[in-house]
Amino acid sequence: MSSKEIFIPIIHDAGAQYEVIREISAGLEEEGVPYRVLQRTTRNLGDLPSPLQVVIGVHDNGTVSVSHEKVKGTPYLEYSWKHARRLGKNAARLVKGLPLHLPERG
Protein backbone atom coordinates (compact mmCIF):
# COMPACT_ATOMS: atom_id res chain seq x y z
CA MET A 1 0.00 0.00 0.00
CA SER A 2 1.47 3.31 -1.05
CA SER A 3 1.21 6.20 1.39
CA LYS A 4 -0.48 8.20 -1.40
CA GLU A 5 -3.36 5.75 -1.84
CA ILE A 6 -6.62 6.90 -0.28
CA PHE A 7 -9.38 4.32 0.24
CA ILE A 8 -11.48 2.48 2.80
CA PRO A 9 -10.51 -1.20 3.01
CA ILE A 10 -13.37 -3.70 2.93
CA ILE A 11 -12.03 -6.78 4.71
CA HIS A 12 -14.10 -9.94 4.31
CA ASP A 13 -14.01 -13.47 5.67
CA ALA A 14 -13.90 -16.32 3.17
CA GLY A 15 -17.58 -17.07 3.86
CA ALA A 16 -18.85 -13.55 3.11
CA GLN A 17 -21.41 -13.26 0.31
CA TYR A 18 -20.50 -11.38 -2.86
CA GLU A 19 -23.85 -9.55 -2.81
CA VAL A 20 -23.04 -8.03 0.58
CA ILE A 21 -19.68 -6.73 -0.62
CA ARG A 22 -21.34 -5.34 -3.75
CA GLU A 23 -23.93 -3.46 -1.63
CA ILE A 24 -21.24 -1.98 0.63
CA SER A 25 -19.28 -0.89 -2.45
CA ALA A 26 -22.41 0.75 -3.89
CA GLY A 27 -22.91 2.72 -0.67
CA LEU A 28 -19.31 3.95 -0.75
CA GLU A 29 -19.59 4.89 -4.43
CA GLU A 30 -22.78 6.88 -3.78
CA GLU A 31 -20.79 8.99 -1.31
CA GLY A 32 -17.79 9.23 -3.64
CA VAL A 33 -15.27 7.53 -1.36
CA PRO A 34 -12.82 5.01 -2.91
CA TYR A 35 -12.48 1.52 -1.47
CA ARG A 36 -10.47 -1.65 -1.86
CA VAL A 37 -11.74 -5.21 -1.23
CA LEU A 38 -9.36 -7.56 0.60
CA GLN A 39 -9.90 -11.12 1.85
CA ARG A 40 -8.36 -11.87 5.25
CA THR A 41 -9.51 -12.50 8.79
CA THR A 42 -11.87 -9.88 10.16
CA ARG A 43 -10.58 -10.15 13.74
CA ASN A 44 -9.12 -6.97 15.28
CA LEU A 45 -10.19 -4.71 12.43
CA GLY A 46 -9.59 -1.58 14.49
CA ASP A 47 -5.89 -2.45 14.62
CA LEU A 48 -5.50 -2.56 10.82
CA PRO A 49 -3.93 0.46 9.16
CA SER A 50 -6.29 2.42 6.94
CA PRO A 51 -5.45 5.56 4.98
CA LEU A 52 -8.80 7.06 6.05
CA GLN A 53 -8.80 5.61 9.61
CA VAL A 54 -11.94 3.54 8.83
CA VAL A 55 -12.16 -0.19 8.04
CA ILE A 56 -15.26 -2.15 7.00
CA GLY A 57 -15.48 -5.81 7.99
CA VAL A 58 -17.81 -8.37 6.38
CA HIS A 59 -18.03 -11.25 8.82
CA ASP A 60 -19.16 -14.76 8.00
CA ASN A 61 -21.56 -14.63 10.98
CA GLY A 62 -23.91 -12.41 8.97
CA THR A 63 -22.79 -8.99 10.22
CA VAL A 64 -21.01 -5.98 8.76
CA SER A 65 -18.94 -3.74 11.02
CA VAL A 66 -17.38 -0.32 10.63
CA SER A 67 -14.30 0.28 12.78
CA HIS A 68 -12.48 3.55 13.37
CA GLU A 69 -8.87 3.55 14.50
CA LYS A 70 -9.71 5.97 17.33
CA VAL A 71 -12.29 3.56 18.80
CA LYS A 72 -10.28 0.54 19.98
CA GLY A 73 -11.68 -2.85 20.92
CA THR A 74 -15.21 -2.62 19.54
CA PRO A 75 -16.70 -1.72 16.16
CA TYR A 76 -18.08 1.80 15.80
CA LEU A 77 -21.10 0.40 13.92
CA GLU A 78 -22.29 -3.19 13.49
CA TYR A 79 -25.45 -4.42 11.75
CA SER A 80 -26.67 -7.45 9.84
CA TRP A 81 -25.83 -8.00 6.17
CA LYS A 82 -29.23 -6.64 5.13
CA HIS A 83 -27.99 -3.12 6.00
CA ALA A 84 -24.76 -3.46 4.00
CA ARG A 85 -25.41 -0.58 1.58
CA ARG A 86 -26.32 1.82 4.38
CA LEU A 87 -23.20 0.82 6.34
CA GLY A 88 -21.07 1.50 3.26
CA LYS A 89 -22.64 4.96 3.01
CA ASN A 90 -22.14 5.56 6.73
CA ALA A 91 -18.49 4.53 6.60
CA ALA A 92 -18.00 7.12 3.86
CA ARG A 93 -19.96 9.74 5.81
CA LEU A 94 -17.83 9.01 8.90
CA VAL A 95 -14.71 9.80 6.85
CA LYS A 96 -16.32 12.96 5.42
CA GLY A 97 -17.55 14.17 8.84
CA LEU A 98 -21.21 14.10 7.82
CA PRO A 99 -24.17 12.94 9.96
CA LEU A 100 -24.85 9.19 9.81
CA HIS A 101 -28.12 7.63 8.65
CA LEU A 102 -28.46 4.65 10.96
CA PRO A 103 -30.82 1.75 10.24
CA GLU A 104 -33.40 0.98 12.88
CA ARG A 105 -32.55 -1.97 15.10
CA GLY A 106 -34.68 -5.02 14.74
Side-chain angles (χ1 to χ4, degrees):
M1 174 172 49
S2 166
S3 63
K4 294 181 180 179
E5 295 178 283
I6 303 295
F7 61 89
I8 292 179
I10 302 172
I11 309 296
H12 68 90
D13 288 325
Q17 294 180 356
Y18 171 76
E19 297 297 322
V20 175
I21 296 168
R22 190 178 71 186
E23 285 298 307
I24 293 168
S25 302
L28 289 165
E29 289 172 1
E30 289 171 1
E31 291 290 333
V33 174
Y35 61 92
R36 184 171 293 166
V37 179
L38 306 165
Q39 182 181 339
R40 65 174 72 157
T41 181
T42 56
R43 283 185 237 145
N44 303 321
L45 288 177
D47 296 335
L48 291 175
S50 169
L52 296 175
Q53 301 180 319
V54 172
V55 176
I56 298 173
V58 184
H59 310 275
D60 55 11
N61 68 357
T63 62
V64 177
S65 64
V66 175
S67 298
H68 193 284
E69 73 179 29
K70 292 185 178 176
V71 180
K72 298 290 183 188
T74 184
Y76 189 75
L77 299 171
E78 188 169 45
Y79 287 90
S80 71
W81 283 357
K82 71 179 183 180
H83 300 292
R85 189 181 202 114
R86 187 173 294 195
L87 281 174
K89 287 183 72 115
N90 279 327
R93 295 177 73 81
L94 186 62
V95 167
K96 294 162 64 175
L98 297 174
L100 305 181
H101 298 283
L102 300 176
E104 292 184 25
R105 294 277 181 187

